[in-house]
Amino acid sequence: MGSFQSLPDDHQYRTLSQKTGFSLEQIAILHNRFKQLSQNEETLRRDDLKTIQDLESNPIRSQIIEAFFDSRNFQKEGVGSVEEIGFEEFLTVMSYFRAPPQHITEEQREEMRRAKLRFLFNMHDTDNDGTITLEEYRHVVEELLSRSGALGRETAKGIADAAMLEVASISVGPMAPDEFYEGITFEHFLKILNGVEIETRMHIRFLNMDATVLCK
Amino acid sequence: MELKMFILVLGLLVGSLMPLGGAASSPDTGTGHGGSHGNKDPGYAKNGNGTTYSKKPFPVLSFDYEHVRLPFEISLWVLLASLMKLGFHLIPRVSSIVPESCLLIVVGLLVGGLIKLVGEDPPVLESKIFFFYLLPPIILDAGYFMPIRQFTENLGTILMFAVVGTLWNSFFVGGLLYGVCQLEGHKLAYVDLLSCLLFGSIISAVDPVAVLAVFEEIHINELLHILVFGESLLNDAVTVVLYHLFEEYSSVGLITVTDVFLGIVCFLVVSLGGIVVGAIYGILAAFTSRFTSHTRVIEPLFVFVYSYMAYLSAEVFHLSGIMALIACGAVMRPYVEANISHKSHTTIKYFLKMWSSVSDTLIFIFLGVSTVAGPHQWNWTFVVATLIFCLVARVLGVVGLTFVINKFRIVKLTSKDQFIIAYGGLRGAIAFSLVYLLNPEHFPMRNMFLTAIITVIFFTVFVQGMTIRPLVDLLAVKKKQETKRSINEEIHTQFLDHLLTGIEDICGHYGHHHWKDKLNRFNKKYVKKCLIAGERSKEPQLIAFYHKMEMKQAIELVESGGGSKLPSALPSTVSMQNIQPKKPSQDRALPQLSKAREEEIRKILRTNLQRTRQRLRSYNRHTLIADPYEDGWNEMLIKRKKMKELEKKISQMNNYLTVPAPPPDSPTIARARLASDPQAWGLKSVTESIPTIKVDLASPQSPESVNVVDEFSKKGSQPKEEEGGLTMKVPSPAKQRKDKTPDEEPQQRLMRCLSDPGPAAEEEDEDEPFLP
């Protein structure tokens, strides 16, 4: 970092700012962080993220890291996961956690909501088939309870089953005994999380981030 | 018809109350008003100057009222208050227009008027009684059931309103009133600045009792509710400090900068000190509850006594008692609830609601009575000015603060929200009591203050209280959502929390998710181990939620039973095989119960009467209806076991009854069908082998009573397609897995229920007195 990079970065930042909606300062701060994590290289790898100490105690750590490398989240029509990402992709993933701007229309709000929920959906739908199957959902719950030992693992299945039943009944309604509910599609996912105000809850306060208090 | 009877009883009661009430003023007051005229002594003769005593026949019946006067009067007042409350709900139209608090004040006015007519002095709301006996239950009720998550999310906003808003109000009102007094000249010139400021500080505090009373009825959305309510609780510290400050120095007549500085320090001490005291008692209570597994009956007592002690201890040091109480309730709740039995939980809930309800009623009635009684000094200018300034100050304060606050909030407060917040700033009995405490010698204008305060209270409670409901409807303010928390939402909320914490860590930003997560981990690692007994300390939140939900559904299922549509988000007709990937064997595996467990279950079933009462749905202090979840861990678990038993029996039978499911009936049809012919169900043979459920089908008492058998029979006839709750729980492999899990978890829970003896260990009857 340094002044010699400022000119090309400015232009780059501007395009990024337009694409993701961050302000220039926010982009600069995040860029610093990116460089810190990637040890000043151009791209970031999974191992770089795994070095963050605070992430160790997070039960869904691997899923979060995966989300950064999932090309579905890059808003570029890609599929599959990649080995390394550049700053643009990093920023794009971060942009899912922006707060809704103060004056937006209902449509924009809805769009933002869908984008965020799509991000969440992609985190669960690991095999990329557009539905969250029972197995995948069980995996989600098991991960959440992974810190609770034996007790967690056994009830995890019960919880996942109950949750699945709920989704099925809300989305599809009464089903005959031989019908089979494939999995949670994105539309069903939207429906069940209707009560949660995603657009306001899923955000990080980027405003008062200070580069000097970056943790290791 | 009911109404007439009721009014008759009421008339008699009030009639008897008058002479007795008049005979002595409010309990505890030191001033002896009037003499008691209750002492009629037919037995003894009173000799004026006699030394001899003529022998009279042994008094078979004597009248000695003085003996029991105090408790008698207290009970009579409480009875009156409760009957009033009862009465209002018998008159449906009035109670939907006028909030209860208004009606109660009117009743108080009437009673006070009657007492005065008789010539006695009506009792006044003594401050000591108010602060020590009437206020704590209401605050504890509020604090114990406070939604912590919303409260902490909006803490900044609430604090801004509570501290800055109250300060602004006090100084604005006080200052302007002083100006008015000076301008007015002749009658008001003796009111000095400090007294005005004192008055301003007393009257500017939003009152939690009034707010609760009105807001509970309008079911406004949670955000607004927590904002106004949180403000009314937290402004107590400000009020306490300002009150003491101005009261101390108004005799001196001068306040220096040092005093102001000390005042600020005092404020911090008062509020933080109150919270610390409350938290200490809360932790003590949580710790105590860890050891109560053998003495379940006194568990609620600990909760109440520790909380009350927290309040009193804070009052000893002149710290904010209200904040201590809130802190105590909020701190102890998660741990206590993990430790105590289900019945204790219900007890605590009901007792708190009952006490706070009675307190609240009494407060309003006494407010009315005191209005009639209290020494008044009406001064048009002062009173009108006070009223106007209060309203203006409130509006300006809210608008100004919101402007600042919205810069920091994600979910901005709209102008509708601002209006409701401003409009919801009701004043109440706390202000009244504080004025009443003023010493008339130091404050010659006390009576005028009293009159002004009462006017403002009446105005806010009547005008604002009555009009807020139509206004809320008119402005289409968002109401409280009645939806229950679904397991999916819970999973995703937890998931989001972890996700956001992770993202914050990746960003390198120590945001509040990071700290919240740290706090949670600290809590889990150290605190829970100390304060929660046994296995429960390791139970993660998601699992606890899941168990609670299972319980709820099992109970609801039994309650509403039969083919009727279940109210909650229960998957109604989807069963496990709809979502399970196709398995080769479709036969249901049996829950493998060990011999010992089976025996135990049989014993429980044999010794327990299964009488389902009318369970009620939602919960709210005014309607006192409870959600079904809370009653009878015991019964619910037993029912579950019974379902399992039945399941076992059925699958052991070779003939699979494939009676097609009748279309889901409306409850009335189901009831009618069963009530007319209880033997219609072909599965009688099955039910015979199980210890019978003594359900009186013919009794019309509760529709639910028929549904127990209904559900069981139906269960047998349609094993596959069922209310999802049943199939979800019983035949699913999940259930079977649950049984195979280390026995200790369900075992322990069974133990918890079984170790809760109640008055008669064999019966379920102890719940009867709680619910009619």
Side-chain angles (χ1 to χ4, degrees), chain A residues 33 57-58 68 124 137 148 155 157-159 163 165-167 169 174 176 179-181 201 203 205 209 215, chain B residues 149 408 410 486 488 492-493 498 500 505-507 509-510 521 540 543 546 571 573 578-580 728 737:
Chain A
R33 179 63 177 169
S57 47
N58 200 318
F68 273 92
H124 298 322
Y137 212 22
S148 326
T155 12
K157 289 211 175 78
I159 296 178
L165 276 170
E166 201 179 73
V167 179
S169 72
E179 277 182 63
F180 182 59
Y181 182 62
R201 292 193 63 183
H203 78 276
R205 284 171 206 256
M209 258 174 60
C215 53
Chain B
R149 202 183 173 116
F408 298 99
I410 298 293
S486 72
N488 278 297
H492 284 284
T493 311
H498 287 299
L500 291 171
D505 292 331
I506 292 180
C507 281
H509 168 53
Y510 281 144
R521 271 187 282 140
I543 294 186
Y546 173 60
T573 47
N578 289 114
I579 64 171
Q580 285 278 13
M728 172 168 67
R737 242 174 274 136

Side-chain angles (χ1 to χ4, degrees), chain B residues 374-378 435 440 443-452:
Chain B
H376 287 303
Q377 187 187 335
W378 182 268
V435 169
F443 297 95
M445 70 294 288
R446 173 178 172 264
N447 294 341
M448 191 171 65
F449 285 174
L450 212 57
T451 314

